[in-house]
């Protein structure tokens, strides 16, 4: 009986020590990187649109598998884009969206874009000037709408058009190297789709 009592006392003391010595922290004390934003399309040096939409999930459009949509009723070729925030705490912020023509021109001149690639004419596309990231979401999508007639024009057959979409923000850091997505669209592919 004494052995059982002594055994129970030791077990009780051990369990009490184990459970009272552990504290729960949602995040352990450490130096975490700050929240940053980036464009997942920029993970590819050139985001080519020259093949059908892939099957399966896409890292570019979470939950989706498409790089583009065609809206025949409104005569639009829609490139699906987005901004992702990474870090331990998401922030609500405004992300500015712009076009950087100098990047495409430089890539054409130094041969990083295929021979014959042209900058996408500014009147041929539209995109929002900003997008809102919410503190409860890691991803915020946006769309670049391109006039389908520009891509289908017989004079443009065989041409490739490129555009550089850049993000910036005053309230959250941008991941260097992943702030600009260079999109290259093959008109032969688009014309073959139609």
């Amino acid at each position: 009986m004494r052995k059982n009592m002594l055994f129970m006392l030791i077990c009780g003391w051990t369990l009490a020590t184990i459970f009272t010595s552990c504290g729960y922290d949602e995040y352990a004390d450490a130096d975490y990187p700050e929240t940053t934003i980036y464009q997942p399309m920029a993970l590819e040096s050139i985001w080519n649109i020259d093949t059908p939409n892939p099957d399966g999930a896409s890292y570019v459009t979470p939950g989706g598998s498409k790089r583009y949509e065609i809206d025949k009723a409104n005569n639009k070729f829609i490139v699906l884009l987005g901004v992702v925030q990474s870090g331990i705490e998401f922030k609500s912020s405004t992300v500015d969206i712009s076009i950087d023509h100098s990047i495409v021109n430089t890539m054409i001149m130094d041969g990083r874009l295929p021979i014959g690639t042209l900058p996408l004419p500014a009147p041929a596309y539209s995109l929002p000037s900003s997008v809102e990231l919410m503190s409860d979401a890691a991803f915020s999508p946006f769309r670049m709408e391109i006039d389908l007639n520009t891509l289908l024009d017989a004079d443009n057959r065989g041409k490739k058009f490129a555009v550089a979409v850049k993000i910036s923000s005053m309230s959250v850091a941008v991941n260097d190297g992943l702030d600009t997505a260079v999109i290259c669209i093959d008109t032969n592919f688009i014309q073959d789709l139609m």
Side-chain angles (χ1 to χ4, degrees):
M1 178 88 164
R2 265 184 185 226
K3 285 184 182 180
N4 280 345
M5 187 70 102
L6 183 59
F7 178 73
M8 299 277 279
L9 187 60
I10 291 172
C11 285
W13 177 80
T14 303
L15 287 173
T17 303
I18 289 171
F19 288 120
T20 59
S21 66
C22 296
Y24 172 76
D25 288 330
E26 186 168 356
Y27 304 113
D29 293 333
D31 290 330
Y32 293 103
E34 66 179 298
T35 299
T36 60
I37 58 172
Y38 66 96
Q39 289 190 82
M41 300 70 66
L43 291 166
E44 297 179 27
S45 59
I46 301 170
W47 203 52
N48 289 301
I49 298 180
D50 57 0
T51 58
N53 279 315
D55 292 331
S58 168
Y59 63 87
V60 176
T61 53
S65 62
K66 298 189 285 187
R67 289 183 176 220
Y68 61 86
E69 294 176 345
I70 297 175
D71 180 356
K72 289 182 181 178
N74 293 307
N75 205 37
K76 300 289 182 191
F77 182 82
I78 302 165
V79 180
L80 303 172
L81 304 167
V83 178
V84 173
Q85 59 179 324
S86 62
I88 198 157
E89 289 185 57
F90 295 157
K91 298 178 180 178
S92 292
S93 60
T94 299
V95 179
D96 297 316
I97 303 166
S98 61
I99 299 298
D100 190 335
H101 300 287
S102 65
I103 291 174
V104 169
N105 290 331
T106 300
M107 290 178 76
I108 289 170
M109 288 190 305
D110 67 16
R112 287 184 284 161
L113 283 168
I115 294 172
T117 300
L118 301 169
L120 184 64
Y125 62 84
S126 65
L127 73 160
S129 60
S130 66
V131 65
E132 296 296 321
L133 275 171
M134 299 299 154
S135 62
D136 61 348
F139 179 74
S140 185
F142 64 95
R143 300 155 52 112
M144 175 181 224
E145 295 183 353
I146 301 170
D147 177 40
L148 201 50
N149 287 336
T150 301
L151 302 176
L152 296 176
D153 189 313
D155 292 339
N156 291 331
R157 182 109 177 124
K159 294 181 181 174
K160 293 184 181 189
F161 289 108
V163 63
V165 179
K166 188 175 185 93
I167 60 168
S168 61
S169 178
M170 298 295 289
S171 57
V172 66
V174 179
N175 190 327
D176 288 334
L178 297 177
D179 62 337
T180 305
V182 177
I183 302 159
C184 187
I185 303 167
D186 185 341
T187 60
N188 280 339
F189 168 68
I190 305 302
Q191 291 176 0
D192 290 345
L193 282 176
M194 306 310 282

